[in-house]
Amino acid sequence: MQGRVRECECDINTTTSTAMEDEELVGGELVCNDWHLHGGEGYEGSRKNVTEPPENVDPATTAFATPASDPPLPPRPFPDEVLEHVLAFITSHKDRNAVSLVCKSWLKADRWSRRSVFIGNCYSCSPEILTRRFPRTKSLTLKGRPRFSDFNLVPPNWGANVLPWLQELAAKTHALEELRLKRMTITDEGLSLIAHSFPNFRALILIFCDGFSTDGLANIAKNCRNLRELDLQECVFDDRGSEWLSAFPETFTSLTSLNLTSLTSDVNFTDLERLVCRCSQLEKLKLNRSTTLDQVQSLLLSRGSTLKELGIGSFIQDVTGAGMDQLENMFNICRSMSALSGFWEVIPVYLPLLYPICHQLRELNLSESPISSSEFTKLISQCPLLQCLLVQDLVEDRGLEAVAATCQDLRQLRVIPWDITHGDRSLVTEKGMVAISRGCRELRYILYFCNQMTNAALEEFASNCPKMTHFRLCIMTPLAPDYTTKEPMDEGFGAVVRICKGLKRLSVSGWLTDRAFELIGKYAKEMRSLSLAFVGESGCAMEYLMQGCESLKKLEIRDCPFGDAGLLSGIQRYYQMRGLWMSLCDLSLRACRALAKQMPLLNVEMIVEDDRVFPSRLQRPSCEGNDDDEDRLIRVDKLYFYRTLVGPRTDTPPFVYTL
């Protein structure tokens, strides 16, 4: 459970993670804009601050432009084939979207030449829209459930099944080669469809996914002869044993990346070792918790020279004499190793085994490793080139001071609690954060769980690290003030958004008044994602955000005193956002109905787990007079709405009501 909470806070594991894990990290808009999926018609209207749908756009029925139906185009200086070849060199989704708006011929060229599509919400469009708009898609990235599902705020079986997408792709094209899913459900039927419908399938990356079993993985292993990546990160599935690894054919040699960290059973090491030995191009290997140190040693002897990323299982074993001498040399051949992770269990005496490769590491993930401050200080002093570090707060402020003294080029830092069950306890303070800012001036990303913080510390941090793009601070005691002055944390967070001009993602905590949100709205012009919990005084805070944060795409709110006025204050902005989540706020059914009525291109969904009151009320399409007054009194605990081209979804479970 701890690992899952950690991942839901982090969203990405490493700096080398795929774009789907945290699209904001590399900058730019990676999602294919809904209007581009719609063939471009009505796109300009969607960019305006309107409360009605763009003219001439019916998201459920509009057909895409095709060569047969298009009007004659003016003469072009070069053939379509040349333009498509040129566009193939434009890899940024944001740039591709911009290119497709130049003229209709460029829109058509984008249609036929785009091979990679990212959809940040699987309900924002339909599979039919995808295949009609981009019929040659080879790489598809889909996101499903809201991020707060990782905090158990979204009930099981909420939706986001990838099967309809796979069925549509299998019926219309067999070109799919890469599939990346996050927070989605994929069944064994879906895995079987992949294995038998796409002969050139190469990559399957599943993050926070569920619904499948190792039988489905065996189907992939047996039939996907060109598979290069199989990555299972924080997935929940039916692990029926490791026999599925034997399904890889003896002639199979193409694997370059294998992540087995989500497996709960013991791995059949004989099958794993034979597979690793056959795959001479293997660069990334992440093992599950049951893998022992001598098994890691055996794998390194056969493939250590090619590995760039290694996830170690349990770094613990009773070894003496000649066995210890062999272990001391096992990392000497890993000349290409740049990333280490894992270490679920550690004996400090074995940590010096890592020293031969520490000087070349760029990434170190100890988020599952209970390493003490003293042992961590010794280890980190050997890693001068580190750029990405994930640790538990067991390292304490002293460990973070060692990081600051050694890792001047650090770009990303995540400090998570070692015991998530004690929500008000952390072993690091503002001192460690300030030390990091003084020594690591190139820092871009920080996720920091702590017990206490001060405005002065946040101001100094922002001044020392003005290049920050992701700032996520969790003061684990809700509504905690500046612990020295007992004042709100307004000025500290205000300094962060004022100084860090390129801030893309922000998570705030502690005692914040509406003044903090006034500053965020005033200065955070580039911010695209904002997460709020236990903050604010009134709905005015949300009004400041809606009026000021021009680039905001995702807003997540829980346990905040924002009511109907705050919700409706963003009506002029919601068509430009990807989605908004509000839970345990002060919303009424009346305001939710008003939002759905004024914004028909939004899916406004209520999650109702206590159905004693709602069903009869929600069956009424409109309310007037006394009914309207009754709606004002009914509170809505969980509201999720998002922009869509296809209207209400058809797979809503009984506890989800679409207004």
Side-chain angles (χ1 to χ4, degrees):
M1 178 64 189
Q2 175 178 340
R4 186 158 180 80
V5 173
R6 170 185 60 79
E7 280 304 319
C8 71
E9 274 299 308
C10 295
D11 277 348
I12 63 175
N13 279 333
T14 68
T15 52
T16 56
S17 300
T18 62
M20 72 170 295
E21 294 180 73
D22 194 340
E23 64 272 22
E24 307 291 342
L25 184 62
V26 295
E29 173 64 60
L30 294 187
V31 65
C32 225
N33 190 286
D34 297 342
W35 308 108
H36 289 77
L37 285 170
H38 228 312
E41 293 187 44
Y43 177 74
E44 291 301 328
S46 73
R47 304 290 293 180
K48 301 175 183 177
N49 293 332
V50 296
T51 58
E52 293 297 326
E55 246 184 314
N56 300 325
V57 176
D58 181 353
T61 60
T62 302
F64 294 105
T66 62
S69 61
D70 288 343
L73 297 174
R76 293 181 292 277
F78 42 78
D80 291 342
E81 292 79 4
V82 176
L83 179 57
E84 292 177 16
H85 180 73
V86 172
L87 293 184
F89 292 94
I90 302 177
T91 57
S92 165
H93 289 264
K94 180 180 179 181
D95 292 341
R96 290 297 295 255
N97 289 347
V99 162
S100 68
L101 294 177
V102 171
C103 62
K104 203 156 191 177
S105 63
W106 285 40
L107 178 69
K108 290 174 58 180
D110 178 52
R111 177 195 183 201
W112 292 108
S113 62
R114 191 180 295 216
R115 302 290 185 266
S116 177
V117 178
F118 178 100
I119 300 176
N121 181 351
C122 64
Y123 291 115
S124 64
C125 69
S126 67
E128 293 76 18
I129 287 179
L130 170 67
T131 55
R132 195 161 61 228
R133 178 69 182 93
F134 301 118
R136 297 179 180 176
T137 299
K138 290 186 176 182
S139 174
L140 176 61
T141 299
L142 282 171
K143 286 187 176 183
R145 294 179 289 272
R147 192 180 69 92
F148 274 173
S149 63
D150 301 326
F151 297 97
N152 298 321
L153 292 179
V154 177
N157 303 314
W158 177 84
N161 195 322
V162 74
L163 186 60
W165 295 84
L166 296 175
Q167 291 172 335
E168 173 68 14
L169 288 166
K172 299 293 178 60
T173 174
H174 298 282
L176 188 68
E177 296 180 0
E178 300 177 1
L179 182 64
R180 294 172 171 82
L181 305 177
K182 188 170 186 179
R183 300 187 184 95
M184 295 200 68
T185 295
I186 180 169
T187 62
D188 286 348
E189 180 184 359
L191 292 176
S192 177
L193 196 58
I194 292 174
H196 295 94
S197 301
F198 309 111
N200 294 320
F201 193 77
R202 300 173 183 272
L204 179 64
I205 294 92
L206 306 179
I207 305 172
F208 291 140
C209 292
D210 58 19
F212 60 99
S213 73
T214 47
D215 292 345
L217 296 177
N219 216 335
I220 292 290
K222 180 179 179 180
N223 295 285
C224 297
R225 302 302 179 94
N226 298 311
L227 192 67
R228 296 177 61 85
E229 296 181 55
L230 180 58
D231 200 333
L232 310 175
Q233 300 180 34
E234 298 290 336
C235 293
V236 178
F237 58 95
D238 185 6
D239 190 343
R240 300 173 181 172
S242 59
E243 290 76 11
W244 67 276
L245 286 172
S246 63
F248 284 100
E250 290 296 327
T251 56
F252 178 81
T253 61
S254 60
L255 209 60
T256 62
S257 175
L258 180 62
N259 185 345
L260 305 176
T261 54
S262 293
L263 292 177
T264 56
S265 64
D266 291 344
V267 173
N268 187 320
F269 184 71
T270 300
D271 292 336
L272 176 62
E273 187 176 29
R274 293 172 63 184
L275 175 63
V276 169
C277 290
R278 292 198 305 269
C279 299
S280 59
Q281 301 179 61
L282 191 66
E283 297 181 348
K284 176 181 176 180
L285 177 63
K286 293 192 174 184
L287 306 169
N288 74 336
R289 187 170 189 158
S290 67
T291 310
T292 62
L293 197 54
D294 61 339
Q295 291 174 339
V296 173
Q297 178 188 7
S298 178
L299 294 174
L300 289 179
L301 288 175
S302 60
R303 199 51 66 209
S305 60
T306 64
L307 285 179
K308 296 181 180 179
E309 297 184 46
L310 175 64
I312 296 175
S314 296
F315 210 61
I316 178 173
Q317 194 168 336
D318 186 12
V319 180
T320 58
M324 188 64 182
D325 294 337
Q326 294 177 0
L327 288 177
E328 289 178 352
N329 297 321
M330 71 177 183
F331 284 103
N332 289 336
I333 62 174
C334 301
R335 300 182 180 88
S336 301
M337 191 79 68
S338 62
L340 279 179
S341 61
F343 306 97
W344 275 273
E345 298 175 280
V346 175
I347 291 182
V349 69
Y350 291 140
L351 287 177
L353 298 176
L354 302 174
Y355 289 177
I357 60 171
C358 281
H359 69 282
Q360 65 197 43
L361 290 181
R362 299 297 192 275
E363 179 183 328
L364 182 61
N365 185 343
L366 301 176
S367 59
E368 300 285 359
S369 180
I371 297 180
S372 67
S373 176
S374 58
E375 297 300 332
F376 174 77
T377 300
K378 297 174 186 177
L379 177 64
I380 204 65
S381 65
Q382 307 290 322
C383 307
L385 301 181
L386 212 60
Q387 294 185 343
C388 176
L389 175 64
L390 291 81
V391 293
Q392 294 184 1
D393 58 7
L394 289 172
V395 303
E396 302 179 340
D397 290 338
R398 183 174 55 160
L400 296 179
E401 290 169 357
V403 173
T406 306
C407 311
Q408 279 76 32
D409 197 34
L410 192 69
R411 308 297 177 92
Q412 182 179 158
L413 173 66
R414 301 167 188 265
V415 182
I416 64 172
W418 71 278
D419 185 1
I420 199 66
T421 59
H422 292 82
D424 58 347
R425 185 182 305 169
S426 178
L427 301 178
V428 296
T429 69
E430 81 286 354
K431 296 178 181 178
M433 190 173 183
V434 170
I436 288 292
S437 72
R438 292 172 179 172
C440 309
R441 300 297 182 99
E442 296 299 316
L443 198 66
R444 306 291 201 277
Y445 186 120
I446 187 168
L447 170 65
Y448 198 81
F449 284 79
C450 63
N451 263 346
Q452 62 188 41
M453 187 55 60
T454 67
N455 285 306
L458 290 182
E459 291 176 12
E460 182 174 355
F461 180 90
S463 298
N464 292 335
C465 302
K467 300 177 183 178
M468 292 295 300
T469 60
H470 292 58
F471 185 86
R472 306 171 65 189
L473 175 64
C474 180
I475 305 173
M476 298 184 68
T477 303
L479 304 176
D482 181 319
Y483 85 97
T484 59
T485 66
K486 307 305 178 184
E487 295 291 324
M489 297 296 299
D490 299 344
E491 298 304 321
F493 282 101
V496 171
V497 296
R498 184 181 70 252
I499 297 173
C500 303
K501 304 292 187 183
L503 196 66
K504 304 292 185 184
R505 183 174 185 180
L506 177 65
S507 297
V508 300
S509 56
W511 179 21
L512 295 181
T513 69
D514 291 346
R515 168 64 177 166
F517 297 96
E518 182 181 3
L519 295 173
I520 293 173
K522 181 177 180 180
Y523 294 109
K525 300 302 182 183
E526 300 298 321
M527 184 177 64
R528 304 176 63 81
S529 178
L530 177 62
S531 297
L532 311 175
F534 303 98
V535 293
E537 291 179 309
S538 68
C540 293
M542 196 166 176
E543 294 179 24
Y544 289 135
L545 297 176
M546 292 295 100
Q547 293 171 6
C549 300
E550 302 168 352
S551 302
L552 190 62
K553 300 296 181 184
K554 293 172 61 178
L555 180 57
E556 301 167 332
I557 305 172
R558 61 168 297 188
D559 294 276
C560 295
F562 303 159
D564 295 351
L567 174 67
L568 299 178
S569 68
I571 280 185
Q572 301 298 323
R573 291 289 319 283
Y574 291 148
Y575 275 151
Q576 302 170 31
M577 295 174 59
R578 188 186 301 174
L580 184 148
W581 168 279
M582 296 182 72
S583 60
L584 298 177
C585 296
D586 190 22
L587 299 179
S588 72
L589 178 58
R590 179 193 182 202
C592 296
R593 285 190 188 275
L595 174 67
K597 182 177 180 180
Q598 294 185 55
M599 310 206 73
L601 294 189
L602 292 182
N603 267 1
V604 181
E605 298 182 354
M606 294 169 40
I607 297 177
V608 182
E609 297 177 83
D610 184 357
D611 59 358
R612 290 173 296 179
V613 176
F614 278 93
S616 61
R617 301 292 306 138
L618 294 174
Q619 289 172 2
R620 306 178 190 178
S622 62
C623 295
E624 298 178 358
N626 295 331
D627 287 343
D628 186 60
D629 293 335
E630 186 177 344
D631 281 352
R632 187 186 295 111
L633 299 176
I634 297 178
R635 314 320 293 170
V636 175
D637 284 341
K638 297 177 182 179
L639 177 71
Y640 178 50
F641 63 82
Y642 49 89
R643 185 181 58 194
T644 181
L645 293 174
V646 292
R649 57 189 178 111
T650 58
D651 62 346
T652 52
F655 54 81
V656 172
Y657 294 88
T658 302
L659 297 179

